[in-house]
Amino acid sequence: MRTLKFLLVTLLIISAVPVQARRKASKKQQKEQVQLPAKVDSISYAFGIDAGNGIKAAFKDIKERSDLELKPEIFVQAFNNVLLNDSAVFTKEEAADILNKFGAEMQRIAREKQKIAAEKNLAEGKAFLAAKASEVGVQKTESGLLYVVERQGTGEKPTLNDRVKVHYTGKLINGKKFDSSYDRQPLELSVGGVIAGWQEGLQLMPVGSKYIFYIPSELGYGERGAGKDIPANSALIFEVELLEIIR
């Protein structure tokens, strides 16, 4: 609905020049045809470019989310009808009703796509972890957490109530990195305040250790995922160095 509202607002500011006429003119011809003698002319034209880019992005977004390719020619025709006070095919209320129904349809399509993607992620994660569990050096806990000891420290192990300082890199099972403290600085956190896979894994590590965690989705972010970087039902890979228990 956010995209649809943006389209309605920008109807009032996009250029009224017919699309087909603009397509027939080359860039050089367009520059010759457009006269911008005054400051307000340049500002008006720049504002049109900005609005046009916004509309173009909105059209692309709708196509990606609904597979529906809107028609710029009809879009501009409707705009001209409104701007020039001509008779439009739909009333304002009828247009709003059409867009509201379309918005609801887009939301339904998005939910279906998310459901399919989540099921796919879950299946791929299970297959990945099953294969990983059979590799030499990979250990598995009762919860299903997999881990590899890269370096075994000699310090104390933290408890659920401790705060610790760590370095880490997080990846999806396809190898895509979504976060890394190595790009910033070590992170201080409460052991009991992170995802279940981390809570369990950190308590296995003596200070000075470096482990790799392979975390099933149910011990990670589950069906909700985490923003745009961690999709729903994603199995996760974390390389973790336990630097210090903060006392």
Side-chain angles (χ1 to χ4, degrees):
M1 288 303 296
R2 183 178 179 184
T3 297
L4 295 177
K5 289 179 181 178
F6 176 75
L7 287 174
L8 285 173
V9 172
T10 49
L11 270 170
L12 300 176
I13 55 176
I14 66 169
S15 170
V17 180
V19 175
Q20 292 297 338
R22 293 200 307 272
R23 285 178 176 172
K24 291 178 181 178
S26 67
K27 182 176 291 187
K28 181 179 179 181
Q29 290 172 329
Q30 288 176 9
K31 287 184 177 180
E32 292 173 350
Q33 292 170 3
V34 177
Q35 300 299 318
L36 307 172
K39 179 179 180 180
V40 66
D41 299 322
S42 296
I43 294 173
S44 298
Y45 193 81
F47 196 48
I49 289 176
D50 184 63
N53 285 329
I55 289 293
K56 185 177 180 180
F59 275 33
K60 181 181 179 182
D61 179 64
I62 287 175
K63 186 176 188 302
E64 290 175 349
R65 292 198 288 147
S66 68
D67 297 324
L68 182 68
E69 188 165 0
L70 299 182
K71 298 181 177 180
E73 293 85 353
I74 295 178
F75 180 88
V76 173
Q77 180 182 348
F79 166 74
N80 286 336
N81 290 152
V82 173
L83 184 67
L84 301 176
N85 294 317
D86 290 339
S87 296
V89 176
F90 302 128
T91 65
K92 182 179 179 180
E93 292 72 22
E94 288 171 336
D97 182 59
I98 291 171
L99 293 178
N100 286 333
K101 289 178 179 177
F102 178 55
E105 177 67 9
M106 286 184 68
Q107 291 176 350
R108 183 189 65 78
I109 292 172
R111 286 193 298 269
E112 289 180 355
K113 288 184 176 181
Q114 290 168 358
K115 181 181 178 181
I116 292 171
E119 292 173 348
K120 181 174 180 287
N121 291 337
L122 184 62
E124 290 179 350
K126 287 182 176 180
F128 173 84
L129 293 171
K132 182 62 64 175
S134 65
E135 294 182 6
V136 176
V138 177
Q139 302 181 60
K140 183 176 182 179
T141 68
E142 291 185 5
S143 70
L145 173 69
L146 304 181
Y147 67 96
V148 173
V149 178
E150 291 276 287
R151 183 179 68 245
Q152 187 73 345
T154 58
E156 184 182 353
K157 293 181 180 180
T159 68
L160 198 61
N161 297 319
D162 283 327
R163 283 186 61 80
V164 297
K165 181 183 290 186
V166 300
H167 254 321
Y168 71 93
T169 296
K171 300 178 182 179
L172 302 177
I173 61 174
N174 62 8
K176 180 181 179 181
K177 183 177 77 171
F178 56 80
D179 194 16
S180 178
S181 66
Y182 293 100
D183 297 333
R184 303 181 299 274
Q185 59 185 8
L187 176 68
E188 295 183 7
L189 55 86
S190 297
V191 176
V194 290
I195 58 176
W198 267 63
Q199 290 182 23
E200 182 178 6
L202 286 171
Q203 293 180 82
L204 298 172
M205 301 176 67
V207 172
S209 298
K210 181 178 181 180
Y211 283 20
I212 301 177
F213 300 150
Y214 299 94
I215 302 178
S217 63
E218 60 269 22
L219 299 179
Y221 295 96
E223 294 182 352
R224 71 183 186 278
K228 64 180 182 179
D229 294 323
I230 302 178
N233 288 340
S234 292
L236 304 172
I237 304 170
F238 284 98
E239 298 177 11
V240 181
E241 284 188 87
L242 180 57
L243 304 177
E244 179 185 350
I245 297 176
I246 303 171
R247 295 277 167 74

